Amino acid sequence: MDEIKETHKELVTIHYLGSTYETRPIYYIKIGLPSNRKKKIIWMDCGIHAREWIAVAFCQWFIREILQPNSHNRVINKALENIDFYIVPVLNIDGFVYSWTTDRLWRKSRSPHDNGKCYGVDLNRNFNSSWCTIGASTNCSSITFCGTGPVSEPEAQALSQLVSSLKSDILCFLTMHSYGQLILLPYGYTKDPSVNHDEQVSNPLYLMNHRV
């Protein structure tokens, strides 16, 4: 991240998001051309599930792709003039490190629960949105353990606080996974479509069929 900042000083700044349970700092990269006016935001985070290494690699690849050709690609340059990209390369750093050192398939964070009998929360299920209803577990041994309460985990708290302060300017919120080659749209707790479901479905398809 420091190398990227030094190489692209005109586009890149690095910001502190928060701390993990094991006190590792979480940073995000902000990419965009300087502007005197308020800009809209595209948010992207990777590595919320520790074992999904390719998701972390994707964030690195995306940053590289958007920075390297910007001086020659008018579409990317136009996007950087009007939009700021906020990118968290690794959100679940504790779990990510643990998946490298101890358990390759570790998925959750690393906070202790039930007097140390089990560890970690599925950070993807710890947010304060229909918390612990469908597809989540209250059993701390489960890989889908939702935590002791909404945003009980420091990683989820840090992300939630920043996003809440920016939400009026966020155009798109993306969380990258590697479980399947799918575009998953809200919501996860009901089969009822969101109010802008048609727009969400049409835009990704448009982008895939009209590559620039």
Side-chain angles (χ1 to χ4, degrees):
M1 292 175 75
D2 290 333
E3 289 177 4
I4 290 168
K5 179 185 175 183
E6 287 302 310
T7 306
H8 302 277
K9 292 180 179 178
E10 75 285 3
L11 291 171
V12 173
T13 54
I14 297 176
H15 304 268
Y16 177 75
L17 178 66
S19 177
T20 67
Y21 176 80
E22 294 179 344
T23 69
R24 293 183 173 92
I26 308 169
Y27 295 100
Y28 65 92
I29 289 180
K30 180 181 176 182
I31 303 175
L33 286 165
S35 175
N36 293 324
R37 57 190 172 78
K38 199 172 186 181
K39 296 168 71 178
K40 293 297 184 181
I41 296 166
I42 291 180
W43 175 281
M44 180 185 297
D45 62 70
C46 295
I48 196 170
H49 285 154
R51 64 192 182 191
E52 297 177 7
W53 292 358
I54 196 64
V56 175
F58 171 80
C59 255
Q60 297 176 12
W61 174 86
F62 180 84
I63 291 168
R64 174 182 176 274
E65 287 295 301
I66 203 170
L67 289 174
Q68 283 197 348
N70 78 85
S71 59
H72 307 291
N73 188 313
R74 65 176 184 83
V75 175
I76 291 179
N77 204 54
K78 189 72 173 177
L80 293 174
E81 287 177 2
N82 294 282
I83 296 170
D84 286 330
F85 291 84
Y86 286 55
I87 303 171
V88 184
V90 190
L91 182 63
N92 181 9
I93 302 175
D94 294 348
F96 185 65
V97 170
Y98 193 76
S99 73
W100 277 86
T101 61
T102 308
D103 182 350
R104 171 62 185 91
L105 295 180
W106 188 260
R107 185 173 187 262
K108 301 184 288 181
S109 63
R110 289 297 299 160
S111 56
H113 298 276
D114 196 12
N115 295 319
K117 293 180 181 178
C118 46
Y119 285 81
V121 168
D122 182 351
L123 298 176
N124 199 41
R125 288 162 170 79
N126 190 233
F127 296 104
N128 190 17
S129 178
S130 298
W131 175 76
C132 214
T133 51
I134 304 299
S137 174
T138 57
N139 180 357
C140 68
S141 297
S142 170
I143 62 170
T144 59
F145 176 48
C146 58
T148 56
V151 291
S152 60
E153 305 308 294
E155 299 89 346
Q157 289 175 17
L159 191 154
S160 295
Q161 288 171 3
L162 179 61
V163 169
S164 293
S165 70
L166 299 171
K167 63 182 180 181
S168 62
D169 296 315
I170 294 177
L171 288 175
C172 178
F173 188 105
L174 300 169
T175 296
M176 295 301 166
H177 292 267
S178 62
Y179 186 81
Q181 296 182 24
L182 304 167
I183 297 174
L184 302 180
L185 304 177
Y187 305 100
Y189 65 91
T190 177
K191 294 182 179 180
D192 295 337
S194 58
V195 293
N196 62 335
H197 177 78
D198 291 339
E199 179 186 8
Q200 293 186 73
V201 170
S202 64
N203 282 348
L205 293 175
Y206 178 86
L207 291 173
M208 285 188 288
N209 292 316
H210 299 77
R211 295 182 180 180
V212 289

